[in-house]
Amino acid sequence: MHEVVIAGVGQTAVGEKWEISLRELAFYALEAARVDAGGLRPQALYLANSLAPALSHQSHLATLVADFSGLNGIEAASIEGAGASGGLALRQAYLAVASGLVDIAMAIGVEKMSDQTVSGVHEAEATTTDSDYEAEQGLTPTSQAALLMQRYIYEFDVPEFAFGGFPVIAHENGVHNKNAMFQKAIRPELYQRVGKVSDPMNMFDIAPAADGAAAVILTRPELLPGEFLHPLVRISGSSVVTDTLALHDRPKPLEFNAVRVSVERACRQAGRLPSDMDMFEVFDAFSIYAAMTLEAAGFAEYGMGWAFAQNGKLSLDGELPISTFGGLKARGNPSGATGVYQAVEAVLQLRGNAGENQVQGAELAMIQSLGGPASTVATHVIEIVH
Amino acid sequence: MHEVVIAGVGQTAVGEKWEISLRELAFYALEAARVDAGGLRPQALYLANSLAPALSHQSHLATLVADFSGLNGIEAASIEGAGASGGLALRQAYLAVASGLVDIAMAIGVEKMSDQTVSGVHEAEATTTDSDYEAEQGLTPTSQAALLMQRYIYEFDVPEFAFGGFPVIAHENGVHNKNAMFQKAIRPELYQRVGKVSDPMNMFDIAPAADGAAAVILTRPELLPGEFLHPLVRISGSSVVTDTLALHDRPKPLEFNAVRVSVERACRQAGRLPSDMDMFEVFDAFSIYAAMTLEAAGFAEYGMGWAFAQNGKLSLDGELPISTFGGLKARGNPSGATGVYQAVEAVLQLRGNAGENQVQGAELAMIQSLGGPASTVATHVIEIVH
């Protein structure tokens, strides 16, 4: 297999983009990544999207985006795995370039959620659960996370407001990210005051549905000029692992088993340990997911992930910085695009271009996106090329 | 890159499978392919599906199918590109194995179209067009094909009933395929007698929406025992090419440009010419698509593809056998699964296991699936390993 590097990254601001269409959103990210990569033209485009067939009545989206973006003729395929779609598209782009059959590939994620009513979004999101057995009973991804959090609180007997550390860190990191949906810090007192949305989760435990697009361009380093525009970032570990789609099929629902296995595999391929990581873009769609992910990945004991978010241990200057540009919670969660946003943000960190959000000395990062309650897990380890 | 072979194939019968669910359909094909491959367990599953989010309220389908089929934990991703989805999934499985990072990959296609009303199916299919500009005006893939056929008849001044050769051949080849939706030959007189469905297309110019699933298992030959269960089939050429999504954006709408380029690239990689092919599984979703494909692929002059279907030239014992098990028209067209059915059928031909449908001496085959009016084209060249 060939070595694969990320040569360009691009993103749009995240939020409610009423004035921008689905295809335009994708185009802005695609073009930004091409400019960042000195004009490289991808031969293949892997487009991550989770909900456009339902929300925008548009499938066959990869071909549409290639066409609309002036890349008529190139290879294109849409890739889907709910919230992990972005990570899956990155994986496909990686495999394509690693095979030597594709020289330059783009992974792009786009989601446009504001064109629909809130109930329309929930209905669409419910299709990502086991529809015949879960959505059928009224379950949505949000209520699924609430059930997990309730069970967690019961099993591990955690203190009230235990999960508040996650949204506090995310919003702190969102303050200086001009692409974030929310650029305002919150205090622990506010977290404790707001009402429940899906008991026991409150508003701050749930990342907001949003519009956005992000893109990365992958290639083999030997195809680039010796003096490139910016430092290159190598993909040194890549892994996709699945678990049961339905939560009720898990013997131990409080253990994100696919997170554990996927982290192990990505780290083994990279020749690194999770503890080597300078930062971790974690999938904090719900506070409970962030806690359970840190546990399954080996950063905390089961039942203690929430405590790891206390006392600045996960802040930019802490032991393991997470959600460094605000995470899903403050940057916003444009579902299928989120995994690609994580890649863009981690690349900016490793290049040393993260501005006020810079993790000092970051050379090695892990990024991970989840489809459902870790039913699909895509993990990548990336590192700066010296 | 590594050499990639198809080690196992499986399929379900195609038709209206009211009694079988989406996940069960997929499971039957997956299991049949595993049995055919001597029990090989795929590490990665690329699932082609076009319409399940709309028709079955189920996305995140690759993970569901892996889970339901007892393959909990493996890598999985859903791949979509309208009618080309099956060809795209085959391409992703090929790239994964070619990279050396995945040892055994499955491409599986599944579609369940009978759970919805006919208007529900048309509405879902319309999302594969350029929704904001085409579906918005009431266009569906069927009416799009009718517009192309009308233009073709006008431009090339072809005789009445010119396209009848395609459905006649397809239905002839479907007679002995126990998995075909229609196992009954039709006479040219019948084609000429039936009423128009979408003028100028009649019922026989349009392949039927159907339920079905098909699967192939790909691996590297050196990972298999020397004496394998059956002859291996090598993927020697693979290409995906796109064109504009909207038909109105094409300067020459009667030329399937992406078909031409994709065939050229797949053949070049294989070191073969289109004229070397012993058979061609063509995407005959509409008679007009079959004609235009044969022209763009170089088998007939523009405006003369319909004539190539006369006098048995495309029959099993003709110059270039097409639709050898009935094609989309008689086998049935389970949209996202169709491209994988084509691979299964071509492998059976090259192994010499096609029974009454056998193309004598077939050693080299081309298969091709189209998303929209060749907006996405996936072409593969496969050959028997001696």
Side-chain angles (χ1 to χ4, degrees), chain A residues 1 23 57-60 63 67 72-75 78 80 91-92 127-131 242 244-245 376, chain B residues 23 46 57-60 63 67 72-75 78 80 91-92 99 127-131 242 244-245 376:
Chain A
M1 57 155 291
R23 69 187 72 187
H57 304 294
Q58 185 66 65
S59 58
H60 210 172
T63 297
D67 175 17
N72 189 307
I74 69 167
E75 175 168 359
S78 297
E80 190 268 335
R91 167 80 171 159
Q92 294 315 310
T127 68
T128 65
T129 71
D130 187 330
S131 191
T242 59
T244 68
L245 192 62
T376 306
Chain B
R23 70 187 72 188
Y46 298 102
H57 304 294
Q58 183 68 65
S59 57
H60 211 172
T63 298
D67 175 17
N72 189 305
I74 68 167
E75 175 168 359
S78 298
E80 190 268 335
R91 168 81 171 158
Q92 293 315 309
S99 77
T127 67
T128 66
T129 71
D130 186 331
S131 190
T242 58
T244 69
L245 193 61
T376 306

Side-chain angles (χ1 to χ4, degrees), chain A residues 68-356:
Chain A
F68 182 72
S69 304
L71 297 174
N72 189 307
I74 69 167
E75 175 168 359
S78 297
I79 312 288
E80 190 268 335
S85 301
L88 296 181
L90 181 60
R91 167 80 171 159
Q92 294 315 310
Y94 169 68
L95 290 172
V97 176
S99 77
L101 287 156
V102 172
D103 288 337
I104 306 171
M106 171 176 281
I108 181 169
V110 62
E111 205 77 60
K112 184 86 172 77
M113 304 177 81
S114 64
D115 287 350
Q116 274 281 348
T117 58
V118 171
S119 68
V121 170
H122 281 289
E123 191 183 320
E125 287 179 335
T127 68
T128 65
T129 71
D130 187 330
S131 191
D132 290 351
Y133 295 90
E134 293 188 319
E136 174 72 19
Q137 307 295 328
L139 195 82
T140 65
T142 301
S143 60
Q144 202 175 36
L147 289 171
L148 270 176
M149 184 159 154
Q150 195 148 13
R151 173 76 172 234
Y152 187 104
I153 291 169
Y154 171 80
E155 291 278 348
F156 298 121
D157 194 23
V158 300
E160 210 180 348
F161 310 124
F163 296 90
F166 295 107
V168 167
I169 289 167
H171 280 273
E172 191 175 280
N173 293 347
V175 169
H176 297 289
N177 177 6
K178 63 176 174 31
N179 291 314
M181 186 163 181
F182 299 116
Q183 300 173 30
K184 201 171 165 185
I186 61 168
R187 298 166 62 87
E189 297 72 37
L190 181 61
Y191 175 82
Q192 297 174 14
R193 217 170 54 224
V194 297
K196 304 287 190 228
V197 173
S198 185
D199 196 11
M201 299 198 299
N202 73 30
M203 188 179 78
F204 290 114
D205 289 314
I206 305 167
D211 306 333
V216 295
I217 297 183
L218 276 55
T219 189
R220 301 201 300 277
E222 62 269 27
L223 300 178
L224 295 172
E227 293 269 312
F228 198 57
L229 300 163
H230 42 65
L232 295 174
V233 170
R234 178 192 302 122
I235 297 182
S236 51
S238 169
S239 157
V240 171
V241 174
T242 59
D243 200 340
T244 68
L245 192 62
L247 203 49
H248 58 242
D249 283 334
R250 307 217 182 137
K252 295 185 179 176
L254 290 181
E255 297 182 11
F256 273 172
N257 198 46
V259 166
R260 182 179 60 75
V261 179
S262 182
V263 167
E264 276 172 14
R265 289 191 190 160
C267 286
R268 194 184 318 135
Q269 187 192 346
R272 304 285 194 157
L273 292 171
S275 56
D276 295 336
M277 298 300 147
D278 296 321
M279 55 172 286
F280 181 18
E281 287 301 330
V282 75
F283 195 82
D284 57 347
F286 307 103
S287 305
I288 179 70
Y289 281 15
M292 289 175 63
T293 293
L294 290 171
E295 295 166 12
F299 293 111
E301 296 291 311
Y302 284 106
M304 290 305 290
W306 60 272
F308 196 25
Q310 315 287 326
N311 308 319
K313 289 195 284 290
L314 302 179
S315 296
L316 292 179
D317 58 356
E319 214 172 296
L320 180 74
I322 66 165
S323 307
T324 66
F325 280 88
L328 283 63
K329 181 62 194 77
R331 177 235 297 128
N333 180 18
S335 180
T338 290
V340 186
Y341 269 99
Q342 295 177 309
V344 169
E345 292 164 351
V347 166
L348 293 176
Q349 289 285 2
L350 301 190
R351 284 186 191 167
N353 292 148
E356 300 260 17

Side-chain angles (χ1 to χ4, degrees), chain B residues 89-136:
Chain B
L90 180 61
R91 168 81 171 158
Q92 293 315 309
Y94 169 68
L95 290 172
V97 175
S99 77
L101 287 156
V102 172
D103 288 337
I104 305 171
M106 172 176 281
I108 181 169
V110 61
E111 205 76 60
K112 182 87 173 75
M113 305 178 81
S114 64
D115 286 352
Q116 275 280 351
T117 58
V118 171
S119 67
V121 169
H122 281 288
E123 190 183 321
E125 287 179 334
T127 67
T128 66
T129 71
D130 186 331
S131 190
D132 290 351
Y133 295 90
E134 294 188 318
E136 175 72 21

Side-chain angles (χ1 to χ4, degrees), chain B residues 19 21 32 39 112 139 143 145 164 183 204 227 255 280 307 334 337 367:
Chain B
E19 74 289 6
S21 71
K112 182 87 173 75
L139 196 82
S143 60
Q183 300 172 29
F204 289 115
E227 294 268 311
E255 297 183 10
F280 181 19
I367 59 181

